[in-house]
Amino acid sequence: MKTYILNLIIILVAFTVKAQDSKFENPNSDNRGYLVRVGDIAPDDFELVLQDGSKTSLKELRGKIVVLQFTASWCKVCREEMPHLEREIWQAYKDKDVVLIGVDRDEPLETVQKFHKNMQISYPLALDPNAAIFQKFADKKAGVTRNVLIDRAGKIQYLTRLFDKEEFSNLVQVVDRLSKDGRGKSAEKGLE
């Protein structure tokens, strides 16, 4: 009987682990659905088309600190986080070489423009048809409300998922440190 129960427990654990593993399509996903890691060079082989029709890319933004916020109008947690992003990152650091771009997952231009207006944010939103940009950073089945912080050299420095106040506070601290480090490095180069 003990052997039977032990075997049953092993089978249940195996099914549980398998169920957790199949949560995401890509086997390279971490437990939060990310395909990228802190320390990786951020994928930059895409163009960001903003809600106002202008275009940019991570390649063009090299030399600046970039926060990509993956979002969608239907996402309640995104809506909760956006005023914090506006106030604590965009308004606080936009004059310190920090760029914040919301990447709206798979919604049409009209929806993105309305979302931007309704949220009363001033940082831009970019279109992400078919979630193609999203899938460079996270598994197709992973949810939005995630931020990717990229330093001036294009290296990922911090990743968030959902809106956890402690994690968000850490994000702001890393943005602050990077904004100060970058100015210090530039000043040192100017002295050489």
Side-chain angles (χ1 to χ4, degrees):
M1 184 70 170
K2 288 182 183 179
T3 305
Y4 173 77
I5 292 174
L6 183 59
N7 286 338
L8 185 58
I9 290 171
I10 290 170
I11 290 169
L12 288 173
V13 168
F15 279 127
T16 302
V17 168
K18 182 64 177 163
Q20 290 172 346
D21 288 346
S22 64
K23 181 177 173 182
F24 300 116
E25 288 181 4
N26 192 317
N28 296 320
S29 299
D30 69 9
N31 63 349
R32 299 192 315 167
Y34 272 109
L35 298 173
V36 296
R37 311 284 185 264
V38 170
D40 289 355
I41 296 296
D44 64 1
D45 58 338
F46 57 89
E47 182 174 65
L48 293 158
V49 179
L50 307 181
Q51 91 278 350
D52 66 1
S54 63
K55 298 176 183 178
T56 191
S57 69
L58 287 183
K59 288 178 184 173
E60 289 178 29
L61 295 171
R62 188 69 52 97
K64 296 187 180 288
I65 299 157
V66 179
V67 178
L68 294 180
Q69 174 223 7
F70 289 97
T71 189
S73 65
W74 45 262
C75 172
K76 181 181 176 191
V77 179
C78 300
R79 289 174 173 272
E80 180 184 349
E81 180 184 58
M82 290 172 88
H84 295 276
L85 285 163
E86 172 74 21
R87 184 176 52 254
E88 296 171 49
I89 293 182
W90 181 238
Q91 292 302 325
Y93 294 96
K94 67 182 179 182
D95 296 328
K96 298 177 182 176
D97 273 346
V98 175
V99 176
L100 169 60
I101 299 174
V103 181
D104 188 282
R105 183 176 175 159
D106 201 23
E107 295 186 298
L109 176 61
E110 301 77 27
T111 301
V112 174
Q113 289 172 330
K114 184 177 178 185
F115 180 37
H116 187 265
K117 181 179 179 183
N118 290 345
M119 290 307 302
Q120 299 179 350
I121 56 171
S122 61
Y123 65 88
L125 293 180
L127 303 173
D128 188 10
N130 302 313
I133 298 168
F134 179 83
Q135 290 177 69
K136 292 179 180 295
F137 293 87
D139 186 89
K140 181 179 182 177
K141 288 186 174 182
V144 290
T145 311
R146 57 182 70 234
N147 297 290
V148 178
L149 174 59
I150 304 163
D151 69 15
R152 296 172 196 279
K155 189 181 287 186
I156 297 171
Q157 293 293 321
Y158 202 76
L159 300 166
T160 71
R161 174 71 181 111
L162 297 173
F163 179 56
D164 175 90
K165 290 182 182 185
E166 183 178 336
E167 187 174 56
F168 187 84
S169 176
N170 290 338
L171 172 67
V172 174
Q173 289 174 19
V174 177
V175 168
D176 185 63
R177 178 181 52 80
L178 290 174
S179 72
K180 291 174 181 171
D181 288 349
R183 288 193 310 216
K185 289 178 184 173
S186 298
E188 288 172 19
K189 287 181 183 178
L191 295 173
E192 294 176 356

